Amino acid sequence: MGESLDIRSVPNLRDIGGLATADGRKVRTALAFRSGALDRLDEHESRRLYEAGIRTVCDMRTATERAEQPDRLADDTTYLVLDVQRSGGHGADIAALFTSPAAAEALRSPAAAETFLVKVYRAFITTQDAHEAYGDLMRALARPGTLFHCTAGKDRTGWGAALLLTLLGVDRENVMADYLASNDHLAAMADVVYDLAAQHGIDRELVRPLMEVREVYLNAAFDQVNTTFGDFSTYVRQALQLTEPDVQALRDLYLH
């Protein structure tokens, strides 16, 4: 499983590589990275990312998120906006949960909160915005030194990582383990949000399903792939518009 990079201002920053594939190969490290928002980077940390080999950053957040917390990158970094939710719908912005009426609906009960996130993940598979964003992400990842992120780096980014690893032939068990590792990487951030919830009189158990990644969330996305497209390869071809040469380019780059 990919190792973390020690830049503490960036949540959930880690290398995608290190996992074995079902046919015995391995995903190369130091080629692709995932993280949360990069708005707290100082100039020194921005250069450290660049020196770690990161040349392209793909921002999967909404326009509001990008405006409120703009990435702070080295001048020579290529910046791509790949907004998964630009037309609205189910959002994954946890900070908005305390002010948005739609989000308040998700906080009626832990079950309602979990259902909210399940709908988010299903929308990753069914909406045109997500199709375009994830297709463009996979094409961007064919270039070494690409980092992709959302706000916490767990949901929109989580599906992106699961998508790439599945394309590369990593089995579902290891894809899930990599996905669930976000819970450990984001534990400190979650504690801050739980404290904020308490200040608003909101029980942490209502917020917990929104702050965690859970098997039921990622499984919902994979289940939706099968429901809507029949199988994963059809989803890749029809929704993401990836050709066989596109997929082969990823495998040639990442596998050894």
Side-chain angles (χ1 to χ4, degrees):
M1 200 172 300
E3 296 181 357
S4 299
L5 297 178
D6 186 22
I7 300 179
R8 297 190 179 185
S9 66
V10 183
N12 207 9
L13 172 58
R14 47 197 170 106
D15 194 314
I16 291 288
L19 290 170
T21 64
D23 64 1
R25 290 182 289 178
K26 199 168 184 179
V27 180
R28 288 189 175 96
T29 59
L31 292 175
F33 304 83
R34 56 178 290 177
S35 76
L38 306 177
D39 60 299
R40 297 183 183 180
L41 288 171
D42 60 28
E43 184 175 351
H44 172 68
E45 290 172 328
S46 297
R47 293 308 306 176
R48 283 186 60 201
L49 279 185
Y50 191 84
E51 289 162 5
I54 294 168
R55 298 292 183 268
T56 302
V57 168
C58 300
D59 190 340
M60 313 195 78
R61 298 175 300 166
T62 63
T64 299
E65 291 170 289
R66 299 192 306 272
E68 292 179 351
Q69 297 177 299
D71 284 352
R72 303 177 67 181
L73 304 172
D75 290 341
D76 34 10
T77 303
T78 299
Y79 175 73
L80 303 176
V81 172
L82 305 179
D83 188 344
V84 175
Q85 300 162 323
R86 68 176 184 273
S87 300
H90 291 286
D93 179 14
I94 301 302
L97 294 170
F98 303 110
T99 57
S100 166
E105 186 74 7
L107 293 173
R108 285 180 302 142
S109 68
E114 185 172 273
T115 297
F116 175 79
L117 259 297
V118 166
K119 289 179 179 178
V120 167
Y121 278 73
R122 291 192 181 279
F124 293 160
I125 311 306
T126 59
T127 64
Q128 185 62 31
D129 291 347
H131 294 169
E132 293 174 5
Y134 286 113
D136 287 344
L137 175 63
M138 293 303 109
R139 284 180 279 270
L141 285 165
R143 300 191 293 269
T146 298
L147 178 149
F148 59 102
H149 77 88
C150 50
T151 294
K154 71 183 186 71
D155 298 313
R156 289 164 287 188
T157 299
W159 176 245
L163 173 55
L164 174 63
L165 292 173
T166 301
L167 276 173
L168 296 177
V170 177
D171 65 32
R172 182 72 62 83
E173 182 179 357
N174 284 316
V175 169
M176 183 65 75
D178 180 76
Y179 168 76
L180 293 175
S182 286
N183 285 331
D184 292 330
H185 289 281
L186 293 171
M189 174 186 280
D191 285 340
V192 171
V193 175
Y194 296 146
D195 289 342
L196 179 62
Q199 293 170 23
H200 285 75
I202 301 172
D203 189 324
R204 73 162 53 201
E205 293 308 310
L206 291 176
V207 181
R208 189 182 300 279
L210 303 168
M211 293 305 301
E212 293 180 345
V213 291
R214 298 181 171 185
E215 289 190 28
V216 67
Y217 301 155
L218 189 60
N219 283 336
F222 279 115
D223 289 346
Q224 194 66 49
V225 165
N226 292 333
T227 297
T228 304
F229 296 98
D231 56 47
F232 186 79
S233 62
T234 303
Y235 161 71
V236 168
R237 185 175 66 254
Q238 292 185 356
L240 306 186
Q241 295 290 296
L242 295 179
T243 64
E244 187 54 41
D246 290 333
V247 175
Q248 191 59 49
L250 289 168
R251 292 173 177 161
D252 289 345
L253 175 62
Y254 286 97
L255 297 179
H256 67 105

